Amino acid sequence: MRVRVEQTALPGIGVRHDMVTESGRRLGVVSHRNGRRDLVLYDPDDPDACAADIPLTDDEAEALADILGASLMLGQLSGLREQAAGLLTEQVAIPASSPYVNRQLGDTKARTRTGASIVAVLRDGEVNVSPAPSFRFAAGDVVVVVGTRHGLDAVTAIFADGDPDG
Amino acid sequence: MHETTTLLVEVGALLFLLGLLGRLSRRIGLSPIPLYLLAGLAFGHGGIVELNASEEFFAVGAEIGVILLLVMLGLEYSASELVGNLRASAPAGLIDVLLNALPGAAFALLLGWGWVSAVVLAGITWISSSGVIAKVLADLGRLGNRETPVVLSVLVIEDLAMAFYLPLVTALLAGVGLAKGGLGLGVAVLTVIAVLVVAVRYGKVISRFMSADDAEALLLGVLGLTLLVAGLAAKLQVSAAVGAFLVGIALSGPVAHHATQLLTPLRDLFAAVFFVFFGLVTDPRDIPPVLLPALLLAVVTMGTKTLTGYLAARRAGIAEPGRWRAGLALVPRGEFSIVIAGLAVAAGSVEPQLAALATAYVLITVVTGPMLARLPDLNWFKQWLRGRARAQRASPAPVAE
C-alpha cells in the first residue's frame, strides 16, 4: 500500500527523492539547497538517466501538489460510488446543537449502529481523510459518509439528536 | 599619481575584457576558465601587450581569489556531509587517487623534474574541477540522474583530500626538511581533523556568533574571519587555502546560505583575477615546447578519469550508459589544478616549465571535458552501447562482474 520513496543526498546541491510507479516508471524530485526544485522523469530505456528535468517554482510545486492531492480524494469517492451500486456518498453538516460537538468520533458508534462509514471530515476548507476514532468534532464540521440510503439518513439523525431511531 | 592612473586603466581594461570573454563563453556553452587563462597569457610576460603597473594588484587579487574559491567550496558542504560521504565513497576516492595522481607523478619523473614536481603534477592531474562539473551536470539536466551522486561523492572526496594535500605540498615547496615537513603536515592533519570534529559537533554554535540578518555585517564578518584564518594558517605553514576551506566547513545553516549568496560575486571577481594572474606569470613562449607532452598527459589522464568514474558507478550498481556518463563527466580539471600549480610557481622551487605545462593541460581538459560529457547523449554512442550489450549477452559472460 505505502509507496517506497528513496532519499539520496546530493552533496553540494541538495537532496533527491524518487520512487518507482506501479507501471514501472521512475520519477523523482531534486530539491536544491537554495530552495529550487526540479521534477525529474527517468528514461524507461535507461533507468539511471532523466528523460526530463522540469524546474518548478514554489507556486508551481504547490499547485501541482494540490491537484494531485485533491484528485486523489475525489477519485477515491467516485470510485466507491461506481464500485458498489446502492452505495451513496453524502456530506452531513454537524449542527451546533448536535450532542457530538466536542466529542470523539468513536462515541457516535456510527458504523456499528448504521452500517455507514465516515470517510472524511471537512473543516475550515481542509480535508481530514479517514479520521481516527479519537477525532474530536466541532460545530460546523462537515462529515463525508458512505453507506446505503437508510444508513446515511441514520447518520444524519445521530448527528442531529443522537438517536438513530428516534 | 601616474602609477595609480595607469593601474586603473590597466585593471579596468582587463576586467572589461574578462566581462566580454565571460559573455562569449556563456554563448558558446564553455567554461570561462580557459578564456581567462588565455587573456592572462596574452597580457603577461612575453605576451602581446605587457601589463606592468597592475601586476601587484593582480598578485594580491589572485591570493584572495584562491582563498575565496576554497571558502566557497567549504560553504557548499556541511561537515556531516563530508564525514558521511567519506565512509561510503572511500573506495571510489582510492581508485581516483591511484588512477589519476600516479600518471601525473610518473610523467614528471619521466621528464626528469624531480620528486617535488612529481607531487605537484600528481595533484594537478588528480583533482577534477567541481565548479565546471557541477555546471555541466546542471546544464545537461543530469542532476536527477542516478549516477550523479557517484560523481558528486568523488568530487567531495577530492575536495576533502585537498585539505590534507595542500599542506603537504606547501611544506614540500617551502623546502623544509623531511622531519620539519612531516611536523608541518602533522600539525595540518590534526588541525583539519579538529576543525571537522568541532564543525560536526558545534557547527550551529559557531554559526550563531554570526547573525544572518545583517548582510553588510555578515559579509565583512565572514570575509574578515576567512582572510584572518587563512593568514594564520599560512603562518603555521598549513596553507592559506586550507584555512579558508575549514572556515567554510565550520559555518552552517542560514549563515552559510546567506554567506554563499554574498560572497559569490566577490568569488567570481577574484577567481577571474586569479586565472588571469596565473596566465600573466606564465610566458606563452614556454607553451609550444610543452604542448605535446601536455596533450599526451591530458589524453592519458582523461582516460584514467573516465575509468575512475566508470568503476565508481559500477560499484554503485549503475548500468552501462550511466557508467560512461559518470566517467566522462569527471574529465575536466580546472581551478584546483591551477591553484596547485600557482602554489608551486609562487614558491619557485619547481621546474619553470611546470606552469606552462599546467596551463596547457588545464586548457585542454577544461575545453574538451564538457564536450566529452555530452558523448553519452549522442545517438551513435547509445547505439554503440546497445551493440556492446547485445554482444555481451550473446557470448556467455566471459568476465564475472
Side-chain angles (χ1 to χ4, degrees), chain B residues 2 17 72 86 110 128 132 149 153 155 181 190 260 268 288 314-315 318 325 345:
Chain B
H2 180 67
L17 176 75
M72 295 285 291
L86 192 61
L110 274 179
S128 297
V132 174
S153 59
L155 296 180
L190 284 181
T260 309
D268 291 345
R314 193 172 79 176
R315 262 192 81 243
I318 304 293
R325 278 194 300 272
V345 172

Side-chain angles (χ1 to χ4, degrees), chain A:
Chain A
M1 181 66 190
R2 292 290 290 179
V3 178
R4 222 170 79 92
V5 178
E6 258 180 75
Q7 181 181 334
T8 314
L10 300 175
I13 292 174
V15 65
R16 188 191 75 211
H17 290 95
D18 61 34
M19 56 183 250
V20 181
T21 65
E22 211 178 291
S23 57
R25 286 301 299 266
R26 184 180 280 271
L27 61 123
V29 175
V30 176
S31 310
H32 295 243
R33 202 167 305 148
N34 59 16
R36 206 188 108 185
R37 67 190 72 64
D38 302 339
L39 182 66
V40 294
L41 304 175
Y42 290 86
D43 193 334
D45 297 330
D46 176 4
D48 298 322
C50 327
D53 180 358
I54 308 160
L56 294 178
T57 64
D58 288 2
D59 290 341
E60 288 158 358
E62 201 181 344
L64 188 63
D66 274 356
I67 294 169
L68 290 174
S71 78
L72 190 67
M73 179 71 200
L74 293 174
Q76 279 174 346
L77 290 180
S78 67
L80 275 175
R81 203 174 290 162
E82 280 164 20
Q83 278 167 20
L87 268 193
L88 298 169
T89 307
E90 204 163 80
Q91 300 190 356
V92 179
I94 302 183
S97 61
S98 166
Y100 291 103
V101 165
N102 211 20
R103 286 180 63 188
Q104 297 188 351
L105 186 148
D107 296 346
T108 64
K109 300 200 170 58
R111 185 156 17 174
T112 346
R113 286 156 74 183
T114 68
S117 286
I118 294 176
V119 294
V121 181
L122 314 177
R123 177 185 292 170
D124 302 331
E126 283 188 18
V127 183
N128 300 289
V129 186
S130 311
S134 61
F135 182 89
R136 205 171 277 279
F137 291 116
D141 283 356
V142 174
V143 181
V144 180
V145 195
V146 177
T148 58
R149 183 71 262 156
H150 181 74
L152 295 182
D153 289 344
V155 171
T156 313
I158 290 178
F159 282 114
D161 54 30
D163 183 2
D165 305 315

Side-chain angles (χ1 to χ4, degrees), chain B residues 31-32 44 74 77-78 80 83 105 127 136 138 142 216 222 247 269 274 286 326 348 351 399:
Chain B
S31 159
Y77 306 122
S78 68
S80 46
V83 176
I127 307 289
V136 166
R142 289 202 195 147
E216 187 179 334
V222 172
V247 171
L269 168 65
F274 165 69
D286 287 345
E351 284 293 322
V399 260

Side-chain angles (χ1 to χ4, degrees), chain B residues 40-325:
Chain B
L41 283 175
F43 294 103
H45 304 297
I48 312 164
V49 188
E50 228 173 286
L51 299 182
N52 297 315
S54 50
E55 184 154 337
E56 206 164 310
F57 171 86
F58 278 101
V60 175
E63 188 81 16
I64 296 177
V66 172
I67 289 168
L68 286 175
L69 274 172
L70 263 296
V71 71
M72 295 285 291
L73 188 67
L75 284 172
E76 240 174 65
Y77 306 122
S78 68
S80 46
E81 247 176 10
L82 284 178
V83 176
N85 229 284
L86 192 61
R87 291 202 193 105
S89 330
L94 199 65
I95 300 175
D96 187 30
V97 65
L98 289 178
L99 281 179
N100 298 292
L102 291 183
F107 202 78
L109 292 178
L110 274 179
L111 291 176
W113 283 0
W115 281 105
V116 175
S117 293
V119 173
V120 171
L121 201 58
I124 292 174
T125 55
W126 169 25
I127 307 289
S128 297
S129 168
S130 1
V132 174
I133 292 169
K135 192 170 176 308
V136 166
L137 290 177
D139 286 351
L140 296 181
R142 289 202 195 147
L143 288 180
N145 278 19
R146 297 212 301 157
E147 79 277 0
T148 295
V150 177
V151 174
L152 293 175
S153 59
V154 169
L155 296 180
V156 174
I157 296 269
E158 284 181 0
D159 293 336
L160 190 58
M162 287 283 279
F164 299 100
Y165 172 83
L166 283 178
L168 171 72
V169 167
T170 314
L172 280 179
L173 289 169
V176 292
L178 201 61
K180 220 176 155 206
L183 190 73
L185 185 64
V187 170
V189 169
L190 284 181
T191 318
V192 172
I193 291 172
V195 169
L196 280 179
V197 169
V198 169
V200 171
R201 293 258 169 89
Y202 309 107
K204 288 208 177 76
V205 184
I206 300 168
S207 302
R208 214 172 294 152
F209 284 113
M210 308 243 170
S211 164
D213 305 335
D214 185 345
E216 187 179 334
L218 182 67
L219 173 67
L220 295 175
V222 172
L223 187 63
L225 181 67
T226 307
L227 294 180
L228 179 69
V229 173
L232 290 176
K235 275 235 180 326
L236 292 171
Q237 297 272 0
V238 182
S239 150
V242 171
F245 180 63
L246 293 177
V247 171
I249 295 292
L251 296 176
S252 65
V255 171
H257 182 68
H258 284 104
T260 309
Q261 288 176 334
L262 290 169
L263 288 178
T264 302
L266 269 185
R267 191 265 322 260
D268 291 345
L269 168 65
F270 284 104
V273 166
F274 165 69
F275 292 121
V276 168
F277 178 72
F278 189 78
L280 284 178
V281 295
T282 311
D283 193 329
R285 285 166 301 193
D286 287 345
I287 288 191
V290 295
L291 202 55
L292 206 61
L295 193 63
L296 194 68
L297 185 63
V299 169
V300 170
T301 55
M302 285 196 286
T304 52
K305 219 20 153 186
T306 310
L307 184 62
T308 305
Y310 186 96
L311 293 176
R314 193 172 79 176
R315 262 192 81 243
I318 304 293
E320 185 86 19
R323 295 176 199 166
W324 284 99
R325 278 194 300 272

